[in-house]
Amino acid sequence: MTNDEWRMAKRRLVVVGNGMAGIACVEQILKHVPCFEITVFGDETHLNYNRILLSSVLAGERTTDEITLNTVEWYRRNDIDLRLGVRIVDVDSGRKRVTGDDGTVTPYDTLLLATGSTAFMPPIEGLELENVFTFRTLEDTRGLLRRAAAGVKAVVIGGGLLGLEAARGLQVRGCDVTVVHLMSTLMERQLDSDGGNYLAGKMEDLGIRVLLGRSTVAIVGDTRVEGVALEDGAVLDADLVVVAAGIRPNVDLAYKAGLTVNRGVVVNDWMETSDPDIFAVGECVEHRGVCYGLVAPLLEQGKVLAATMTGNRGPVYSGTIPAAKLKIMGIEVFSAGDWSEQHADPVRYEDRALGVYKKLTVRDGKLVGAILVGDTSDSHRYMEWLRSGTDLGDKRSRLLFPPAGADSGADIAEMADTATICGCVGVTKGAIIQAIHEKGVNTLSQLKETTRASTGCGSCTGLCQALLKAVAPEFEEDTKKVLCGCVPFSQENLREILRSQRLKAVQDVLDIYGNGSGCEVCKPALSYMLDMIWCGDHDEDRSARFINDRVHANIQKDGTFSVIPRIRGGVTTPEELHRIADVATKYAVRMVKITGSQRIDLLGVRKTDLPGIWADLGMPSGQAYTKGVRMVKTCVGTEFCRFGVQDSTSAGVELERRFENLFTPHKVKMAAVGCPRNCAEATVKDIGLVGQEGSWQVVVGGAAGKSVRKADLLITVETTGQALEAAELFFQYYRENGNYLERTYDFVVRVGIEKVRKDTVYAPDAAKDALLERFRRSKARSYDAWQEGRAPMNRTQFIPLQPIDEVRA
Ligand SMILES: Cc1cc2nc3c(=O)[nH]c(=O)nc-3n(C[C@H](O)[C@H](O)[C@H](O)COP(=O)(O)OP(=O)(O)OC[C@H]3O[C@@H](n4cnc5c(N)ncnc54)[C@H](O)[C@@H]3O)c2cc1C
Ligand code: SF4
């Protein structure tokens, strides 16, 4: 048929399976001439998502929203009739129709089976008990997340890739985890016994118990899991069991359709089944005797199949070299190809102290397999040699040790255009360069959107960035998405990671999730996040802070410092003024300046004089040097002003007392005014209290610096106590959700004031109480930085806050 004939004869394509393989194939079909009316059935109730990343969801590194691959809008735009939550239970290949479990009968001209696999359940007793899980779907993951908690005893049956990722996910959720594996080597399909031993050691180091060569005979319990019985008579206590004993292709429908089936649905090199109108793709197929359990092969299959189905039969699928990477942060494991030593020369390296094990197998001068444990930085190089069948010739003597200077930049330059950068989605270096040149791609997120590179397991992110850096004319680090190159995660992800993995020290975060060293961008940001998340109960590392934070003063252009004591609400006393004057004289302070924030600045101070000045002042630090609470500017309000309708001075002093000494994503400036005349400019502050007749307006997200923005109204309340509480809710919400170095005026715009209101002042009581509780815990552990150099810090020295309404009564 010609293209026009195909277009004219639009046929009904029914796809069974809304998973990665089915939809990737549909995406390829859509690139050809539009010749199908497409209906997709999926028995899961979710849109197509990245199943690979379920492990990251369980480990708290990603949210469920982040793993969605195709939105409702995408299905609509492409005229695809999506039937979610409908299981196809029968295929009548004679009458060409499928029947759903909702009773619907749908006719087809072409049927595509993309039914994937299901978890294999070994023949043991007790699988029906409550709290026995598999780890295959988003629903499984949600179930595990609901059940996992600190102290829960979890047993994972199966020490393959999925079992280990499940084990780590549960462990970071606080469970006490044991992995029971039938074989004597972990991940025995990917690792030899040495590699497996290294991996077992690393899992044990993480605190996960590994039992090898042990067979499970039953899961025991009345109605819910109580233990796991092993063949040798041992019974492990368990509150939760994950069965991760392998997968089985879903072939029931293929049998019903009368197709040839072995382990999977048998397909030829054009991806055709034994029925000319029925096709199959993904984990449910068997090609040349192999059933794959990885994404890369099914994407390659999808491309070939789309060509076949749209009448462009030509390209063939000739199999994929299997490659797997363990996605456990802090444990690097990679395996590819045939690493057995039969008729092959092994090349090995190991360093027990560093926990590094590498083995390459070479046959007829070519690389045929690789195992890397502890250091997978060269995996892309080996993968390329495996795929291309490169003759190793002159490289032979330095296979495991590339020449010095072969950094990622040089390395990437050397790679051929046909070299695969993203193995999961199958994107080549050439395709990325083309996207950069032809589609104006300059950032990683643009690259992901345009090519889908780096949207699979994420291990190629570094390579993609190196390529962007080398080729994109206006390369921009995705600062919004990724904190920095040292720790390539978004701030949102990092906050979740620190929380769920209970990390408390900057160096630990850098060791596990970053490059081990960090930089001036990520270290202060991580310091802030740890302080905020653990409400001050973290391992403070002063070297990770900015210089200003290390010396508690603002460095000036001539290397001297500025000292600003705290003057709450701009209200001071003659005694304080005397002390400030005495200090200025004693230390020959070069300039004494009244700031625009109703404070007094001592400028031109030598670093060596700082401790003496702080001691002589006897006033707390005004935090003028840090990303923290600066000041509350006030007007005189009802105390002295004839227009005043609210006591703005007392409210401002109390506001400052409540928030002082706390760190925030960026500096926070506040003001309180006694009437709408707004003399202290509260409507252009991060938080402002604006007095009204009988009420207060609480406004947030204002600015009057480089950016000028009128603050948004958060809420109007009757009492000063309520106004202060509303301010506290917003303050803590910003601390927890703002990105480091994001001012409130950007934050409020990004999140939207409606959502800010909904999550703070209009949140359910329990959520409000939780925010306030975390705020108070942080406050209780906060301290005046200028005390630090003089006396041992007493973090618990905290005066409980009293509601101002009571204070005033
Ligand atoms: C936790 C986890 C981690 C993984 N990590 C990696 C990794 O790091 N790298 C890698 O390459 N691969 C990984 N994989 C494997 C990878 O996710 C799969 O290879 C891939 O998702 C298979 O895609 P598929 O579309 O063939 O099957 P599936 O994703 O299983 O999709 C099939 C869909 O069809 C539905 N379906 C089945 N029968 C019917 C029916 N009768 N009616 C309607 N709908 C039906 C199923 O419910 C499912 O939604 C991982 C898998 C898991 C579970
Ligand atoms: S804002 Fe109102 S109360 Fe405050 S000083 Fe100005 S006029 Fe007076």
Side-chain angles (χ1 to χ4, degrees):
M1 272 201 240
T2 64
N3 276 358
D4 279 346
E5 282 166 340
W6 275 103
R7 199 175 284 117
M8 296 296 292
K10 251 194 171 187
R11 292 165 305 150
R12 291 162 301 182
L13 167 63
V14 168
V15 182
V16 185
N18 185 38
M20 295 179 80
I23 299 308
C25 183
V26 168
E27 283 178 349
Q28 293 297 326
I29 289 172
L30 293 170
K31 289 185 181 166
H32 292 269
V33 284
C35 52
F36 288 116
E37 274 170 10
I38 305 173
T39 304
V40 175
F41 288 94
D43 61 357
E44 293 187 69
T45 49
H46 315 281
L47 296 166
N48 176 33
Y49 59 87
N50 190 339
R51 200 175 296 283
I52 296 182
L53 296 179
L54 289 179
S55 317
S56 307
V57 172
L58 186 60
E61 293 152 13
R62 282 189 168 82
T63 62
T64 49
D65 285 350
E66 284 175 307
I67 67 168
T68 301
L69 286 173
N70 298 78
T71 60
V72 173
E73 174 47 31
W74 177 86
Y75 288 91
R76 252 188 231 132
R77 209 173 43 240
N78 291 294
D79 263 342
I80 295 170
D81 181 10
L82 175 64
R83 312 265 187 92
L84 285 183
V86 180
R87 180 166 186 76
I88 297 300
V89 288
D90 196 21
V91 178
D92 182 341
S93 55
R95 297 158 84 179
K96 291 196 169 184
R97 56 192 207 179
V98 295
T99 307
D101 62 357
D102 59 350
T104 53
V105 176
T106 310
Y108 67 80
D109 298 309
T110 305
L111 178 65
L112 172 57
L113 296 179
T115 48
S117 308
T118 34
F120 168 67
M121 301 306 263
I124 54 174
E125 279 172 34
L127 291 172
E128 72 295 346
L129 291 175
E130 200 182 318
N131 295 333
V132 175
F133 294 88
T134 53
F135 186 34
R136 175 77 197 174
T137 64
L138 197 48
E139 219 34 60
D140 293 338
T141 313
R142 287 188 171 138
L144 283 167
L145 286 172
R146 275 194 293 273
R147 187 67 192 95
V152 165
K153 290 192 182 60
V155 172
V156 177
I157 301 174
L161 196 125
L162 284 193
L164 297 182
E165 291 183 0
R168 175 60 171 160
L170 291 171
Q171 192 230 4
V172 300
R173 300 276 166 190
C175 298
D176 175 5
V177 185
T178 305
V179 174
V180 181
H181 193 45
L182 181 65
M183 313 302 282
S184 55
T185 302
L186 283 182
M187 284 179 67
E188 77 284 352
R189 293 182 59 191
Q190 288 88 13
L191 299 179
D192 61 7
S193 60
D194 287 335
N197 284 343
Y198 273 88
L199 174 57
K202 285 171 190 287
M203 295 299 290
E204 297 265 0
D205 286 348
L206 285 181
I208 293 168
R209 194 149 68 114
V210 177
L211 303 180
L212 293 170
R214 308 283 286 274
S215 168
T216 306
V217 288
I219 301 171
V220 291
D222 257 348
T223 54
R224 61 177 58 171
V225 171
E226 287 167 24
V228 171
L230 306 183
E231 201 176 30
D232 56 14
V235 179
L236 309 172
D237 282 349
D239 308 307
L240 177 168
V241 169
V242 180
V243 181
I247 52 172
R248 289 290 175 271
N250 287 325
V251 290
D252 289 358
L253 290 182
Y255 275 122
K256 286 183 178 163
L259 304 183
T260 306
V261 178
N262 284 335
R263 218 176 139 241
V265 186
V266 175
V267 296
N268 63 16
D269 286 1
W270 289 278
M271 300 300 299
E272 293 161 327
T273 68
S274 52
D275 181 322
D277 295 317
I278 303 182
F279 298 87
V281 71
E283 277 190 358
C284 63
V285 311
E286 179 180 318
H287 172 262
R288 297 190 189 176
V290 181
C291 293
Y292 294 96
L294 296 165
V295 168
L298 60 89
L299 296 178
E300 289 176 37
Q301 293 172 357
K303 282 184 193 162
V304 172
L305 180 54
T308 305
M309 286 172 71
T310 53
N312 300 297
R313 191 176 189 266
V316 291
Y317 176 66
S318 49
T320 308
I321 297 169
K325 220 166 192 173
L326 188 65
K327 302 185 298 299
I328 295 184
M329 291 293 173
I331 299 188
E332 297 191 28
V333 174
F334 168 81
S335 160
D338 175 9
W339 43 263
S340 73
E341 295 176 23
Q342 253 184 350
H343 313 299
D345 303 327
V347 182
R348 269 205 201 85
Y349 167 80
E350 62 182 308
D351 184 329
R352 284 186 195 177
L354 292 179
V356 174
Y357 173 74
K358 300 182 181 189
K359 179 171 105 174
L360 303 180
T361 42
V362 179
R363 197 176 294 144
D364 301 329
K366 292 180 180 159
L367 186 69
V368 289
I371 290 176
L372 306 174
V373 182
D375 174 10
T376 57
S377 51
D378 286 322
S379 57
H380 66 275
R381 186 197 321 273
Y382 299 138
M383 204 55 222
E384 196 41 42
W385 289 347
L386 279 168
R387 281 200 190 101
S388 60
T390 304
D391 193 297
L392 296 177
D394 57 333
K395 299 185 181 74
R396 187 70 199 253
S397 60
R398 48 190 164 84
L399 282 185
L400 287 167
F401 303 98
D407 59 12
S408 60
D411 208 22
I412 201 120
E414 266 176 29
M415 287 169 91
D417 275 6
T418 49
T420 304
I421 300 280
C422 173
C424 293
V425 186
V427 187
T428 61
K429 176 181 166 187
I432 293 181
I433 293 179
Q434 194 181 2
I436 293 171
H437 288 323
E438 293 177 11
K439 307 223 165 109
V441 165
N442 277 307
T443 65
L444 184 64
S445 43
Q446 288 167 351
L447 186 68
K448 284 183 180 180
E449 236 178 84
T450 322
T451 63
R452 283 266 166 109
S454 171
T455 56
C457 71
S459 58
C460 66
T461 305
L463 267 186
C464 290
Q465 266 180 326
L467 198 50
L468 278 165
K469 221 174 200 163
V471 183
E474 291 162 37
F475 169 69
E476 277 172 46
E477 289 270 5
D478 252 327
T479 44
K480 281 223 172 85
K481 286 275 170 220
V482 173
L483 178 57
C484 77
C486 314
V487 205
F489 291 89
S490 72
Q491 294 201 37
E492 195 184 348
N493 284 346
L494 275 169
R495 288 192 288 268
E496 189 52 35
I497 288 169
L498 305 189
R499 251 183 221 115
S500 61
Q501 316 237 354
R502 292 190 292 288
L503 290 167
K504 292 201 166 182
V506 171
Q507 195 53 50
D508 289 348
V509 183
L510 292 171
D511 286 344
I512 300 174
Y513 291 93
N515 61 2
S517 48
C519 69
E520 69 285 358
V521 174
C522 57
K523 286 165 91 177
L526 291 171
S527 291
Y528 167 70
M529 286 181 209
L530 289 170
D531 176 88
M532 175 274 293
I533 287 168
W534 302 115
C535 300
D537 185 14
H538 64 292
D539 300 336
E540 176 67 18
D541 172 3
R542 302 217 55 80
S543 67
R545 299 267 185 189
F546 282 129
I547 166 80
N548 285 356
D549 282 302
R550 299 206 289 268
V551 297
H552 312 307
N554 220 341
I555 192 159
Q556 305 297 306
K557 68 176 193 177
D558 62 356
T560 63
F561 289 85
S562 114
V563 171
I564 301 186
R566 188 165 292 287
I567 296 181
R568 297 185 185 105
V571 181
T572 183
T573 61
E575 292 73 34
E576 281 182 349
L577 289 174
H578 273 301
R579 286 207 300 273
I580 293 171
D582 289 346
V583 159
T585 309
K586 178 174 169 187
Y587 294 93
V589 168
R590 293 225 311 271
M591 183 186 279
V592 181
K593 174 128 190 12
I594 307 293
T595 72
S597 311
Q598 301 179 337
R599 310 209 281 186
I600 296 176
D601 193 352
L602 304 175
L603 288 144
V605 173
R606 286 182 298 272
K607 191 174 170 192
T608 46
D609 288 340
L610 289 171
I613 290 187
W614 299 336
D616 290 354
L617 280 173
M619 293 169 76
S621 158
Q623 277 184 291
Y625 45 83
T626 193
K627 309 299 171 216
V629 173
R630 293 287 164 95
M631 80 316 159
V632 182
K633 192 169 174 176
T634 64
C635 73
V636 289
T638 46
E639 197 109 346
F640 290 98
C641 178
R642 58 207 163 90
F643 299 109
V645 288
Q646 290 289 355
D647 183 355
S648 48
T649 316
S650 302
V653 169
E654 178 63 14
L655 189 62
E656 188 158 345
R657 200 173 74 80
R658 290 188 185 199
F659 292 179
E660 66 191 21
N661 297 330
L662 287 168
F663 292 106
T664 41
H666 209 307
K667 59 189 168 192
V668 170
K669 296 181 171 188
M670 294 171 279
V673 290
C675 85
R677 285 179 178 74
N678 195 21
C679 293
E681 302 121 5
T683 50
V684 286
K685 293 285 186 279
D686 295 292
I687 301 176
L689 306 186
V690 183
Q692 313 281 321
E693 193 70 57
S695 67
W696 284 98
Q697 283 185 344
V698 181
V699 295
V700 295
K706 203 165 80 181
S707 303
V708 179
R709 179 174 193 273
K710 184 169 183 284
D712 292 315
L713 177 65
L714 181 69
I715 193 169
T716 303
V717 291
E718 286 178 8
T719 68
T720 310
Q722 289 165 340
L724 290 169
E725 186 176 289
E728 283 177 353
L729 286 168
F730 172 78
F731 180 77
Q732 184 64 15
Y733 181 70
Y734 165 58
R735 293 183 76 219
E736 294 182 5
N737 298 285
N739 287 328
Y740 190 65
L741 298 187
E742 182 179 41
R743 285 292 298 264
T744 59
Y745 48 82
D746 288 326
F747 171 70
V748 168
V749 171
R750 173 168 67 84
V751 177
I753 187 67
E754 286 305 328
K755 179 162 167 55
V756 172
R757 286 185 191 132
K758 208 166 114 234
D759 291 349
T760 56
V761 288
Y762 296 115
D765 283 349
K768 285 202 274 196
D769 289 348
L771 267 177
L772 293 175
E773 160 63 15
R774 291 193 292 275
F775 165 70
R776 292 194 173 127
R777 276 202 348 248
S778 297
K779 179 69 186 173
R781 294 191 69 90
S782 68
Y783 55 92
D784 171 23
W786 288 356
Q787 293 288 327
E788 198 185 22
R790 289 188 274 147
M793 282 179 314
N794 182 358
R795 283 171 172 266
T796 51
Q797 237 175 25
F798 169 65
I799 313 152
L801 298 173
Q802 274 177 284
I804 195 161
D805 298 330
E806 283 174 27
V807 175
R808 304 210 60 73

